[in-house]
Amino acid sequence: MSTTTTRKVVIEPVTRVEGHGKVTILLDEAGQVERARLHIVEFRGFERFIQGRPFWEMPVAVQRLCGICPVSHHLAAAKAMDRIVGGENLTPTAEKMRRLMHYGQMFQSHSLHFFHLASPDLLFGFGADPELRNVIAVAGKFPELGKQGIMMRKYGQEIIRMTAGKKIHGTGAIPGGINKNLTIAERDELLVELDQMKIWARAAVKIARDYTVDNLEMALGFGSFESSHMSIVRADGAMDLYDGGLRAITADGKTIFDHVDNQRYADYIAEEVKPWSYMKFPFIKSIGPENGWYRVGPLARVNACDFIDTPEAEAVRQEFMAVTDGKPNNVTLAYHWTRMIETLHAVEKIEELLHDPDLQGDDLVVKGERRNETVGIIEAPRGTLFHHYVVDDNDQVVMANLIVSTTSNNEPMNRAVEGVAKKYLSGREITEGLLNHVEVAIRAYDPCLSCATHALGQMPLVVDLVDASGALLDTRKRG
Amino acid sequence: MGVPIPTAPRLRSGPMRVLVLGYGNPGRRDDGLGPRLAEELSHMGLPGVDVDSAYQLQAEDAAAVADHDVVVFVDADVSCPDPFEMRPVLPAGEPRFSTHSLAPETVLSMAWKYLEAKPEAYVLAIRGEDFDGFGEGLSDRAQRNLSAALGFIEKFLEERASSCEKAST
């Protein structure tokens, strides 16, 4: 006799990033996985918080959104405010300083994720005891990898400090430009370690590539699914992480839209609200809310671009695309490989910029015709980041709408978790193995699940198994 | 709320180097206690004391920790006794879900294991009460606790420097 009992497995990290989140795996009457949801309780309050503030504060104020990628918010807001002051055609010095800051951010963020968050999974296996599957354990077996992660992260942070003025609450980008150039001394300091960074970036691409190729059969069945992909691309179709038109492609590579003017994003992307989450669900309007979800981030960017304009990254991009005969790659675990392709691209761009004398220029700011509405879009490490503002004639922000990359990847993460849960969960127990695999699937997207508040004494992960009546069947804590 | 001043011999020669690293999000009310203490302490210009701040602890902080003899991590705390608590830190691993932030124990462990540096390390946990919503500024309680913690850390650093000088003569 069947019953109507539905059990819920709840994985609830208490830390707050774009809010705090939990995973709910819904079981059917037979105890099998019916569907999975990742709830990220995004604090939409931030968009209200900045209303009434003067527009020139935005590039600094929005950095308080996120402790992980404040530089991305800083630059997206600055790009938006450029248009408010009519200064979107930046001077070469201003644009190149911002790009250097951005590539520094990309380099350190991707390195951190790969060496310190993902590598324990890849090196020790998804099923390994979490006590042995972390960055400290990596030191025991692969001490050089962990050290590389530290030094690559430090290098990127130094670039940020030199371009943004300081590590947190940087003020480098301002409406219409930048407030400092790069001194010769700063440039030379960064050049000292550049070659080492390139060597490590190349080696990291190889680790990620070898892992994916050697485990391709497993990866194909690990939370993978077909999806659309979206990013900005340069006018000639090249990958451009700082500026470009919006491009979206289908799972097999057909164009959905291309070179969309950033100011018109709302004609192509809409956001849906669902009752079980505070987070909005962006979708491609022409496809509709049911199937219009898409992936963003490194995998989407490598899939969507026509080429990469730095030689070493382009070579490894071609190798990556060859795995799927030039079609988009829809393997969730391939995010790691593409993340390292972008890391190599970032360090190549850093090298290009450090040898460009425009970085020592003195023409830092431009202004032009004042506007009241503006959109700034940038490719943050985790994907496309939208900042949309309306400013009144008193220079106060009266409307703000932000679409962060983790929001765009929400439905893909749901799909990834669902796929993994269907494979690894049955019965009434939250096994360590299930939890490990759910973590690995989510981690591939590098979601932003940990900023805002982190005060001592909070628990990062709680897992509950609850029956239909609300009774707790099982619980697990980690951290 | 205080701790005994350790007198262990230092491993490196030259002047003692101290790092005070305050971390937290100043845009989330009392979560900004760590950066706020760092800001106030940096204005004092204490000799031999490097002061830094961050939203959260990260891998590269291990490199900074490794460059110092004494490290004090300063953070807001949701449950320690008023007004603050100072405690030694020992290295430890820290398996985490998807978080990008590290605990002081993990940063210290990375300095030990990857960079072969073993500084003395402490956490100065300052009790806060308002961690909800966005907004700058501290609650009255956090402000009072910050003042007490500042007085303590200044004295601690002076005594630590003094004990080091005696040990080296």
Side-chain angles (χ1 to χ4, degrees), chain A residues 78-202:
Chain A
K79 285 183 73 179
M81 295 312 149
D82 291 342
R83 294 184 60 81
I84 294 294
V85 301
E88 66 272 22
N89 295 316
L90 298 175
T91 68
T93 300
E95 177 167 339
K96 289 172 184 176
M97 281 293 288
R98 287 190 188 180
R99 282 182 178 272
L100 181 59
M101 188 192 308
H102 191 43
Y103 290 118
Q105 151 92 345
M106 197 66 72
F107 185 76
Q108 59 88 357
S109 177
H110 281 359
S111 299
L112 175 74
H113 180 269
F114 184 72
F115 286 99
H116 291 167
L117 294 176
S119 77
D121 295 334
L122 308 186
L123 296 170
F124 299 123
F126 306 165
D129 183 338
E131 295 292 332
L132 305 174
R133 184 169 49 90
N134 59 63
V135 65
I136 300 303
V138 171
K141 279 196 168 182
F142 310 94
E144 280 308 305
L145 280 186
K147 185 175 178 181
Q148 287 170 24
I150 293 172
M151 303 318 287
M152 290 169 79
R153 166 89 185 179
K154 185 183 177 194
Y155 187 76
Q157 287 294 91
E158 282 301 294
I159 292 176
I160 291 168
R161 184 181 63 77
M162 290 178 189
T163 51
K166 47 185 177 177
K167 284 200 309 185
I168 64 170
H169 293 184
T171 56
I174 58 177
I178 198 92
N179 68 5
K180 76 180 286 288
N181 64 13
L182 192 75
T183 66
I184 295 288
E186 288 169 333
R187 180 201 66 186
D188 291 348
E189 188 180 334
L190 292 174
L191 282 171
V192 168
E193 292 184 277
L194 181 67
D195 286 345
Q196 184 62 69
M197 296 302 138
K198 286 176 70 178
I199 290 168
W200 286 341
R202 285 184 202 116

Side-chain angles (χ1 to χ4, degrees), chain A residues 9-85:
Chain A
V9 180
V10 182
I11 299 174
E12 185 166 16
V14 180
T15 50
R16 297 169 179 169
V17 182
E18 297 149 19
H20 55 278
K22 64 179 179 179
V23 171
T24 304
I25 301 170
L26 301 169
L27 307 181
D28 62 18
E29 293 173 355
Q32 302 302 308
V33 175
E34 188 173 288
R35 63 182 183 274
R37 288 169 174 167
L38 170 64
H39 308 254
I40 298 175
V41 189
E42 183 180 328
F43 281 81
R44 307 299 300 173
F46 194 84
E47 290 160 340
R48 296 291 300 273
F49 170 67
I50 55 181
Q51 286 179 20
R53 306 288 286 261
F55 74 81
W56 59 79
E57 278 187 2
M58 289 306 104
V60 174
V62 294
Q63 294 177 76
R64 285 152 198 175
L65 260 172
C66 179
I68 300 298
C69 48
V71 171
S72 300
H73 286 291
H74 177 57
L75 291 174
K79 285 183 73 179
M81 295 312 149
D82 291 342
R83 294 184 60 81
I84 294 294
V85 301

Side-chain angles (χ1 to χ4, degrees), chain B residues 17-37:
Chain B
R17 296 188 61 194
V18 177
L19 173 66
V20 177
L21 178 52
Y23 62 103
N25 186 342
R28 299 300 298 272
R29 302 287 291 164
D30 291 352
D31 197 45
L33 270 164
R36 183 67 181 280
L37 182 135

Side-chain angles (χ1 to χ4, degrees), chain A residues 13 16 43 45-46 49 63-64 66-68 70 112 116-117 130-131 134-136 138-139 143 146-147 150 153-154 157 167-169 382 439 442-443 446-447 449-456 460-461 478-479, chain B residues 23-28 31 35 52-56 58-63 67 75-79 87 92-101 104 106 109-110 113-115 123 125 131-132 134-136:
Chain A
R16 297 169 179 169
F43 281 81
F46 194 84
F49 170 67
Q63 294 177 76
R64 285 152 198 175
C66 179
I68 300 298
L112 175 74
H116 291 167
L117 294 176
E131 295 292 332
N134 59 63
V135 65
I136 300 303
V138 171
K147 185 175 178 181
I150 293 172
R153 166 89 185 179
K154 185 183 177 194
Q157 287 294 91
K167 284 200 309 185
I168 64 170
H169 293 184
R382 288 152 197 84
E439 280 185 59
I442 295 172
R443 192 176 288 134
D446 190 18
L449 291 175
S450 72
C451 34
T453 297
H454 67 278
L456 288 170
L461 181 64
R478 179 174 294 173
Chain B
Y23 62 103
N25 186 342
R28 299 300 298 272
D31 197 45
D52 203 354
S53 58
Y55 276 113
Q56 49 204 20
Q58 271 302 345
E60 73 275 12
D61 293 319
D67 278 343
D75 193 8
D77 196 302
V78 298
S79 58
R87 54 181 182 264
E94 182 196 30
R96 285 252 174 132
F97 168 54
S98 180
T99 182
H100 297 75
S101 64
T106 310
S109 187
M110 292 170 76
K113 294 195 174 185
Y114 288 123
L115 304 171
V123 163
F131 296 91
D132 293 328
F134 292 99
E136 295 179 327

Side-chain angles (χ1 to χ4, degrees), chain A residues 175-458:
Chain A
I178 198 92
N179 68 5
K180 76 180 286 288
N181 64 13
L182 192 75
T183 66
I184 295 288
E186 288 169 333
R187 180 201 66 186
D188 291 348
E189 188 180 334
L190 292 174
L191 282 171
V192 168
E193 292 184 277
L194 181 67
D195 286 345
Q196 184 62 69
M197 296 302 138
K198 286 176 70 178
I199 290 168
W200 286 341
R202 285 184 202 116
V205 174
K206 185 175 185 320
I207 294 169
R209 178 254 177 221
D210 289 352
Y211 177 84
T212 312
V213 171
D214 293 348
N215 297 279
L216 195 56
E217 194 172 334
M218 177 277 293
L220 285 168
F222 188 87
S224 292
F225 48 87
E226 295 203 331
S227 76
S228 301
H229 302 270
M230 191 184 75
S231 75
I232 55 174
V233 294
R234 205 167 68 185
D236 60 0
M239 172 182 282
D240 193 329
L241 303 174
Y242 175 75
D243 195 31
L246 286 165
R247 171 182 284 181
I249 61 172
T250 63
D252 59 356
K254 294 187 179 68
T255 300
I256 301 171
F257 53 73
D258 203 0
H259 300 302
V260 169
D261 180 349
N262 289 192
Q263 307 309 307
R264 297 184 55 218
Y265 85 94
D267 294 341
Y268 296 84
I269 302 289
E271 296 170 271
E272 185 186 25
V273 175
K274 298 194 179 185
W276 46 269
S277 175
Y278 287 110
M279 190 156 83
K280 295 185 292 187
F281 286 73
F283 62 92
I284 295 168
K285 274 185 169 179
S286 63
I287 302 177
E290 185 66 24
N291 298 310
W293 53 275
Y294 53 87
R295 280 196 268 214
V296 297
L299 181 67
R301 290 190 288 250
V302 171
N303 280 331
C305 74
D306 297 329
F307 66 100
I308 298 177
D309 70 346
T310 54
E312 293 193 46
E314 172 59 9
V316 291
R317 184 198 72 86
Q318 288 183 17
E319 187 181 12
F320 175 81
M321 296 306 292
V323 172
T324 48
D325 295 325
K327 295 287 187 185
N329 186 316
N330 288 287
V331 174
T332 287
L333 288 175
Y335 262 97
H336 298 301
W337 187 355
T338 52
R339 196 169 282 119
M340 290 304 95
I341 292 172
E342 288 189 343
T343 302
L344 183 56
H345 172 56
V347 75
E348 286 184 288
K349 280 293 192 186
I350 289 166
E351 179 177 37
E352 190 180 299
L353 287 162
L354 289 178
H355 288 103
D356 190 328
D358 280 343
L359 285 180
Q360 281 77 50
D362 294 321
D363 193 5
L364 304 182
V365 181
V366 290
K367 289 189 178 173
E369 184 186 351
R370 174 76 154 69
R371 299 184 183 87
N372 289 92
E373 185 164 3
T374 181
V375 177
I377 300 180
I378 198 166
E379 285 296 332
R382 288 152 197 84
T384 317
L385 172 64
F386 300 71
H387 277 216
H388 181 187
Y389 302 92
V390 176
V391 176
D392 68 14
D393 291 336
N394 296 319
D395 291 347
Q396 291 179 319
V397 173
V398 294
M399 189 285 290
N401 186 47
L402 313 180
I403 305 177
V404 300
S405 45
T406 297
T407 306
S408 289
N409 272 337
N410 190 30
E411 181 60 24
M413 285 190 284
N414 288 344
R415 302 263 171 161
V417 171
E418 185 176 310
V420 167
K422 281 180 174 171
K423 198 164 185 174
Y424 296 99
L425 173 74
S426 65
R428 301 164 60 88
E429 188 185 1
I430 306 163
T431 63
E432 197 66 34
L434 168 69
L435 182 54
N436 291 348
H437 286 77
V438 167
E439 280 185 59
V440 172
I442 295 172
R443 192 176 288 134
Y445 292 84
D446 190 18
C448 201
L449 291 175
S450 72
C451 34
T453 297
H454 67 278
L456 288 170
Q458 295 195 335

